[in-house]
Amino acid sequence: MKASVAELVRLPGVWRGGELEQSQLPSIATGHASLDAQLPGGGWPTGSLTEVLHDSAGIGEITFLASVLARAAGEDRLIAWINAPHLPYAPALAQAGIPLARCLVVRPSHREDALWAAEQALKSGACGAVLFWLDGSLRQRGREKPNEYASLRRLQMAAEAGRAIAIHFRSTAAERLSTPAHLRVVLQREEGMLGVRIPKRRGPPLATPLRIRAGYSPRRAPSPAAGLQPSTVSVPARARAFQLVGR
């Protein structure tokens, strides 16, 4: 018996080219209604790799994700931070409802270690979300150039296996590169708000940026409200509940 077009588009991974995928994908509300309306499934995808592209730490990229991370930490699941550019700022995370005792901070010495840690965390089933930064100062073992796409594909599969949210933070220069990520968003600070563009999703790109209130007020320093703080800053002992692994 032949299936109708209406029946086919209800299958996971199938949609009309000019429309968002309408199947009921597992997702978590972002806390931003305008953004949820632009995401297939009506929220941030779970069991999937997402890329967040921006060019400077502290513009509000963590506050932007705070509601997602707080919900992902439900059912006693961990939030893993792998090679974050700064130590996560405990007071801001606690204020956002993210349980500090469930935050696992991993400081790898090499890129291969970061990839291995991200893959293990994602497929373990113990983590609701895994945030990782692979650019920057990470050293690389050997001289052979790694296959970036293949490495990220492994992380996509690990996220599916562990039903976890995988979030890869990259510079906007990576937008020109191919990726296995199901969702890619580009963030830019615009007059105290975040401009959010979606160049890749399960549906047509969103070229006109959304304007979302997230992050710091221009009248105060950006780092605490952005969720990341240089590791030299002293955090109160009662807030120092992170599990630290690595250097």
Side-chain angles (χ1 to χ4, degrees), residues 83 106-114 137-141 245-247:
N83 195 45
V106 181
R107 294 170 169 171
S109 297
H110 297 84
R111 189 175 186 279
E112 293 86 348
D113 295 337
S137 60
L138 276 177
R139 292 175 292 170
Q140 181 180 315
R141 291 194 180 97
V245 179
R247 65 180 193 278

Side-chain angles (χ1 to χ4, degrees), residues 70-153:
R71 291 180 172 95
E75 300 178 356
D76 294 329
R77 301 186 83 187
L78 299 172
I79 305 297
W81 308 71
I82 298 175
N83 195 45
H86 301 298
L87 184 68
Y89 187 67
L93 298 185
Q95 185 177 12
I98 301 169
L100 300 183
R102 295 182 198 161
C103 288
L104 177 66
V105 178
V106 181
R107 294 170 169 171
S109 297
H110 297 84
R111 189 175 186 279
E112 293 86 348
D113 295 337
L115 286 167
W116 181 88
E119 183 178 0
Q120 299 306 311
L122 286 167
K123 70 182 183 181
S124 69
C127 293
V130 177
L131 295 74
F132 54 96
W133 292 254
L134 298 178
D135 300 330
S137 60
L138 276 177
R139 292 175 292 170
Q140 181 180 315
R141 291 194 180 97
R143 297 182 178 179
E144 185 177 350
K145 187 176 180 179
N147 186 325
E148 182 82 2
Y149 189 95
S151 298
L152 295 178
R153 177 60 182 158

Side-chain angles (χ1 to χ4, degrees), residues 4-195:
S4 67
V5 173
E7 291 172 328
L8 288 174
V9 296
R10 285 197 294 268
L11 297 174
V14 178
W15 68 94
R16 291 184 176 93
E19 301 176 358
L20 291 182
E21 184 178 4
Q22 296 301 319
S23 62
Q24 294 302 310
L25 299 170
S27 61
I28 295 177
T30 65
H32 310 288
S34 60
L35 179 59
D36 288 342
Q38 297 295 334
L39 297 176
W44 204 268
T46 63
S48 179
L49 173 64
T50 295
E51 292 185 347
V52 175
L53 278 54
H54 64 100
D55 285 330
S56 57
I59 65 170
E61 69 276 17
I62 303 300
T63 305
F64 167 67
L65 295 166
S67 293
V68 172
L69 298 179
R71 291 180 172 95
E75 300 178 356
D76 294 329
R77 301 186 83 187
L78 299 172
I79 305 297
W81 308 71
I82 298 175
N83 195 45
H86 301 298
L87 184 68
Y89 187 67
L93 298 185
Q95 185 177 12
I98 301 169
L100 300 183
R102 295 182 198 161
C103 288
L104 177 66
V105 178
V106 181
R107 294 170 169 171
S109 297
H110 297 84
R111 189 175 186 279
E112 293 86 348
D113 295 337
L115 286 167
W116 181 88
E119 183 178 0
Q120 299 306 311
L122 286 167
K123 70 182 183 181
S124 69
C127 293
V130 177
L131 295 74
F132 54 96
W133 292 254
L134 298 178
D135 300 330
S137 60
L138 276 177
R139 292 175 292 170
Q140 181 180 315
R141 291 194 180 97
R143 297 182 178 179
E144 185 177 350
K145 187 176 180 179
N147 186 325
E148 182 82 2
Y149 189 95
S151 298
L152 295 178
R153 177 60 182 158
R154 287 179 62 91
L155 296 183
Q156 165 62 38
M157 295 173 65
E160 292 177 5
R163 299 177 298 107
I165 295 173
I167 302 177
H168 181 198
F169 291 91
R170 313 180 75 176
S171 71
T172 58
E175 188 176 350
R176 69 179 186 274
L177 303 176
S178 179
T179 177
H182 289 172
L183 174 66
R184 176 180 261 177
V185 301
V186 180
L187 305 181
Q188 184 175 359
R189 172 62 61 176
E190 298 177 351
E191 299 178 353
M193 300 184 75
L194 279 180

